[in-house]
C-alpha cells in the first residue's frame, strides 16, 4: 500500500484548503482511510476517517462541521476539504490506511498500519 498526500500550504485564518491522498494497492484489509495531524510537540491525532465501501465518515469533535472527508468515485483518491481554518489547525497532515474491522476506533492511531509522508498546513 502506498499513500501520497498533496495540497498543503499556508492560509489565513478563516480560509480553506483541500488535501488529496492518492492510494495505491489498497486491499480488503486497508479499506478504512483516515487523515491524522501532528502539531509540533503534540501527539498525532485523528481528524477524519472514511470507510471505502459504505462511505461512512467519522470526525473528531475539533473539526466537525468544518472538515469534510471524501473519496473520488473513479479511483482511490481521498480528499480532506478544510474550511473555516483556525491557527490551531496548523500541523503536518498524514493520510493513513487500515482495516475496517479492528478493535481500535476509527480515529485511533493504533488502527492504521500504512502512512503517507505528510503535508504541512499552516494557518496564520
Amino acid at each position: 500500500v502506498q499513500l501520497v498526500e498533496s495540497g498543503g500550504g499556508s492560509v489565513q485564518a478563516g480560509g480553506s484548503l483541500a488535501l488529496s491522498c492518492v492510494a495505491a494497492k489498497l486491499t480488503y484489509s486497508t479499506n478504512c482511510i483516515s487523515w491524522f495531524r501532528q502539531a509540533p510537540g503534540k501527539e498525532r491525532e485523528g481528524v477524519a476517517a472514511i470507510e471505502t465501501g459504505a462511505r461512512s465518515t467519522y470526525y473528531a469533535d475539533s473539526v466537525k462541521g468544518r472538515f469534510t472527508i471524501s473519496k473520488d468515485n473513479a479511483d482511490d483518491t481521498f480528499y480532506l476539504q478544510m474550511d473555516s481554518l483556525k491557527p490551531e489547525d496548523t500541523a503536518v497532515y498524514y493520510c493513513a490506511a487500515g482495516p475496517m474491522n479492528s478493535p481500535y476506533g476509527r480515529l485511533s492511531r493504533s488502527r492504521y498500519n500504512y502512512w503517507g509522508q505528510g503535508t504541512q498546513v499552516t494557518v496564520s
Side-chain angles (χ1 to χ4, degrees):
V1 175
Q2 296 174 329
L3 304 168
V4 180
E5 305 98 333
S6 62
S10 297
V11 65
Q12 290 189 334
S16 298
L17 278 175
L19 305 183
S20 299
C21 172
V22 177
K25 302 180 181 178
L26 290 180
T27 70
Y28 70 93
S29 65
T30 50
N31 51 6
C32 188
I33 303 297
S34 66
W35 286 95
F36 281 70
R37 67 186 180 186
Q38 188 166 18
K42 294 190 176 181
E43 295 286 322
R44 190 172 297 189
E45 62 170 347
V47 296
I50 185 168
E51 294 174 351
T52 59
R55 305 289 179 97
S56 300
T57 57
Y58 307 85
Y59 296 95
D61 289 343
S62 58
V63 306
K64 202 170 291 183
R66 300 189 298 121
F67 289 12
T68 303
I69 189 170
S70 62
K71 178 186 182 297
D72 191 289
N73 287 328
D75 56 28
D76 286 335
T77 299
F78 300 85
Y79 304 97
L80 185 69
Q81 176 66 40
M82 305 184 293
D83 299 318
S84 302
L85 283 162
K86 304 175 182 180
E88 51 263 43
D89 294 319
T90 295
V92 178
Y93 283 71
Y94 299 89
C95 182
M100 188 172 68
N101 296 318
S102 169
Y104 301 103
R106 289 169 181 82
L107 297 182
S108 170
R109 185 175 178 177
S110 297
R111 186 188 192 100
Y112 299 92
N113 39 21
Y114 296 97
W115 296 85
Q117 82 287 353
T119 185
Q120 176 70 45
V121 171
T122 302
V123 185
S124 59

